């Protein structure tokens, strides 16, 4: 189904004609949206701005942006709900999401992470910082491993080249960070990894992620890959130390 974007919703944009990475910006405060748009374009990105979430998904499926920058407080569908919808849309589920918000509480950060956000920028922010954070998240997509390695453990299959996960033959949708965390743990199976080691490996340049965030990601991964998330067979907790990927017998 293709719904036309309402013209009033669009501040800039049009069909993509270049190979520059497209950033979808959803921000209802027009002066901030203009500031972001100006700076991202100057930094070499193409920008499509939306003042509400209404037509974002439809447009995103058509344009496949490189990244979403979502304000949390939006009229109608808020940024968190939009994130949830993006993560549930197969064509969009692996596209990185950065939240942009005045809210700074730990609870909101954790919520953003739980919903699949990759980073979180609080207002006011400097345009330079914004561009740097976007570049960092986009760089995180460049995959360190090459080749066509597939890791198989019982019903679990982790395909490193295509960044896909299957459980008992069914595709499981993961975000880029979830995938990289799972891949890292599985590649170091049998070894105990501390939260700090996992942070270094998967979130190197993302300053807002705390060791506590690792627990959020592990919980989400368990819900996706474990037959019984409360009694995990792959992702084991070592109380007070960290996590270990175990190969079930
Ligand atoms: Ca807002």
């Amino acid at each position: 189904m293709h719904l036309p974007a309402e013209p009033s919703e669009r501040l800039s944009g049009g069909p993509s004609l270049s190979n520059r990475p497209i950033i979808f910006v959803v921000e209802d405060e027009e002066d901030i949206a203009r500031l972001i748009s100006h700076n991202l374009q100057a930094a070499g990105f193409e920008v499509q701005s939306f003042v509400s979430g209404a037509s974002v998904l439809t447009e995103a499926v058509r344009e496949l942006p490189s990244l979403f920058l979502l304000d949390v407080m939006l009229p109608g569908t808020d940024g968190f709900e939009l994130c949830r919808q993006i993560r549930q849309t197969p064509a969009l589920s692996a596209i990185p999401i950065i939240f942009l918000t005045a809210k700074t509480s730990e609870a909101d950060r954790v919520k953003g992470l739980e919903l699949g956000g990759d980073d979180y920028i609080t207002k006011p922010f400097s345009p330079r910082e914004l561009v740097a954070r976007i570049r960092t998240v986009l760089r995180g997509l460049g995959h360190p491993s090459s080749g066509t390695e597939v890791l198989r453990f019982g019903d679990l299959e982790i395909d490193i080249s295509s960044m896909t996960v299957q459980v008992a033959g069914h595709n499981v949708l993961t975000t880029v960070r979830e995938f990289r965390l799972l891949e890292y743990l599985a590649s170091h199976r049998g070894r105990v990894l501390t939260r700090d080691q996992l942070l270094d490996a998967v979130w190197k340049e993302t300053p807002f992620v705390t060791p506590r965030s690792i627990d959020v990601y592990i919980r989400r991964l368990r819900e996706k890959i474990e037959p019984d998330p409360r009694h995990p067979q792959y992702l084991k907790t070592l109380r007070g130390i960290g996590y270990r990927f175990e190969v079930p017998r």
Side-chain angles (χ1 to χ4, degrees):
M1 185 178 66
H2 277 274
L3 298 171
E6 292 168 41
S8 63
E9 297 241 317
R10 300 275 291 272
L11 295 173
S12 69
S16 167
L17 298 171
S18 75
N19 290 324
R20 299 190 299 170
I22 305 172
I23 312 290
F24 269 32
V25 178
V26 189
E27 165 62 82
D28 59 316
E29 287 166 71
E30 297 199 15
D31 48 348
I32 296 179
R34 262 195 298 274
L35 177 78
I36 292 171
S37 186
H38 172 79
N39 281 282
L40 294 189
Q41 283 168 354
F45 297 105
E46 193 169 318
V47 177
Q48 284 211 20
S49 294
F50 302 81
V51 294
S52 81
S55 63
V56 172
L57 284 188
T58 317
E59 287 287 299
V61 167
R62 192 155 51 207
E63 298 263 355
L64 296 179
S66 299
L67 184 142
F68 291 96
L69 189 61
L70 305 180
D71 186 26
V72 172
M73 302 292 280
L74 291 167
T77 309
D78 72 12
F80 287 144
E81 176 55 27
L82 203 50
C83 175
R84 203 193 318 265
Q85 292 173 7
I86 289 166
R87 289 291 174 249
Q88 286 169 356
T89 305
L92 309 176
S93 65
I95 296 173
I97 293 173
I98 296 180
F99 285 111
L100 193 61
T101 180
K103 292 183 169 184
T104 55
S105 77
E106 176 73 6
D108 277 322
R109 292 205 228 174
V110 170
K111 186 173 181 196
L113 279 176
E114 282 181 330
L115 292 171
D118 293 275
D119 203 349
Y120 200 105
I121 297 173
T122 50
K123 298 175 185 172
F125 55 88
S126 78
R128 188 190 252 176
E129 184 199 0
L130 175 69
V131 169
R133 302 280 277 274
I134 288 174
R135 289 207 170 116
T136 296
V137 168
L138 289 177
R139 255 203 314 275
L141 285 170
H143 211 269
S145 333
S146 58
T148 53
E149 198 182 351
V150 178
L151 304 172
R152 286 193 188 83
F153 311 99
D155 277 348
L156 177 66
E157 194 174 301
I158 304 166
D159 185 329
I160 292 173
S161 58
S162 66
M163 292 186 77
T164 52
V165 178
Q166 290 201 336
V167 175
H170 296 282
N171 275 317
V172 174
L173 298 177
T174 62
T175 67
V176 173
R177 301 280 176 181
E178 287 168 4
F179 183 88
R180 294 188 70 191
L181 179 62
L182 177 62
E183 180 207 351
Y184 191 81
L185 282 158
S187 303
H188 297 84
R189 52 195 170 275
R191 275 176 52 187
V192 181
L193 297 165
T194 66
R195 288 173 180 77
D196 284 336
Q197 283 174 320
L198 294 170
L199 276 179
D200 276 352
V202 182
W203 282 269
K204 211 167 290 170
E205 298 171 85
T206 313
F208 83 102
V209 180
T210 63
R212 162 85 182 82
S213 312
I214 301 286
D215 303 341
V216 173
Y217 273 81
I218 292 283
R219 192 164 73 229
R220 263 162 44 190
L221 278 172
R222 280 178 178 150
E223 280 162 12
K224 293 181 179 190
I225 68 164
E226 299 281 2
D228 179 359
R230 282 168 308 166
H231 301 96
Q233 55 173 0
Y234 299 109
L235 299 173
K236 301 279 192 182
T237 302
L238 285 103
R239 202 171 286 276
I241 306 174
Y243 294 100
R244 180 172 61 209
F245 187 98
E246 275 183 18
V247 181
R249 294 159 203 281

